[in-house]
Amino acid sequence: MTTAIYAGSFDPITNGHIDIIKNASKIFDKVIVAVAYNANKNSSIPVKDRVEIIKKSIINIQNAEADSFEGMTVEYAASRGASVLIRGIRNTGDYEYEAQMAQINNVLNPNIKTVTLFSKPELSIISSSAVREIQKNGGDISEFVPSAVLEYYTKT
Ligand code: COA
């Protein structure tokens, strides 16, 4: 059984992320969507709420689940018995960053391999920070995020 970790900030999760999770769930036996505590990023939604939003957004993907972790992604992956890290690539800008991270993670734990999946062109323009910016300024984010994100913003 192959378990894959899809780690990220997911602040908030977007339809671009959901597309990657759906594709990964067709390839791997289990996909764990893991919210990383990232001290370098100013977060807007608390990690606990991000996990709850993800749970609601992936409810129809039978072999996917949501979690959070602190520290190194490879260590978390090993602790969950995962041998694959999923990353999504939207454009050439993502590629540079992803290649470096995959290479570093490979040095840190050669038993854990990074698999990159490419975004659909129509989803490649989405980023969490763009969603936050539009939402903050009263714009319509419904094209970009799952309904659980809209519900969250409506309640808070
Ligand atoms: N659809 C939509 N948006 C996408 C996307 C997709 N398919 N793929 C990436 N993005 C966006 C995210 O929305 C996010 O946007 P933002 O910067 O506007 O908020 C951006 O791309 C970065 O994505 P994210 O997956 O959140 O990356 P990250 O750089 O914040 O975090 C970790 C990546 C958590 C996996 C990484 O930092 C990590 O592993 N941290 C733990 C420490 C560690 O082990 N480091 C590894 C050694 S280098």
Side-chain angles (χ1 to χ4, degrees):
M1 174 164 141
T2 307
T3 299
I5 303 290
Y6 183 32
S9 309
F10 304 111
D11 189 24
I13 193 163
T14 69
N15 290 338
H17 296 126
I18 296 290
D19 181 50
I20 299 287
I21 297 164
K22 280 185 183 158
N23 287 330
S25 73
K26 291 175 193 150
I27 303 170
F28 302 104
D29 299 302
K30 182 156 123 182
V31 176
I32 302 172
V33 185
V35 179
Y37 283 88
N38 189 342
N40 298 325
K41 277 194 169 181
N42 290 327
S43 62
S44 76
I45 305 176
V47 169
K48 195 171 145 282
D49 293 341
R50 277 181 254 166
V51 173
E52 285 311 309
I53 293 168
I54 295 169
K55 280 185 183 165
K56 286 182 191 163
S57 305
I58 61 173
I59 199 152
N60 292 325
I61 308 173
Q62 309 294 325
N63 58 339
E65 62 181 64
D67 194 11
S68 62
F69 70 99
E70 281 183 72
M72 302 302 294
T73 299
V74 285
E75 284 174 19
Y76 170 72
S79 77
R80 296 296 313 261
S83 56
V84 172
L85 301 178
I86 303 287
R87 297 296 295 166
I89 290 191
R90 293 166 296 175
N91 47 45
T92 49
D94 279 354
Y95 173 80
E96 301 274 331
Y97 173 66
E98 294 303 334
Q100 185 194 26
M101 196 155 64
Q103 286 157 353
I104 291 174
N105 281 330
N106 191 54
V107 172
L108 294 172
N109 188 336
N111 296 320
I112 297 177
K113 299 298 179 194
T114 298
V115 172
T116 52
L117 297 173
F118 289 86
S119 293
K120 279 188 192 146
E122 63 269 31
L123 297 174
S124 65
I125 54 157
I126 308 175
S127 72
S128 299
S129 52
V131 167
R132 291 197 301 273
E133 178 78 8
I134 298 166
Q135 198 274 334
K136 211 166 52 186
N137 290 291
D140 180 7
I141 55 168
S142 58
E143 282 286 307
F144 307 125
V145 295
S147 58
V149 174
L150 299 175
E151 280 161 29
Y152 177 83
Y153 282 130
T154 309
K155 277 192 226 144
T156 52

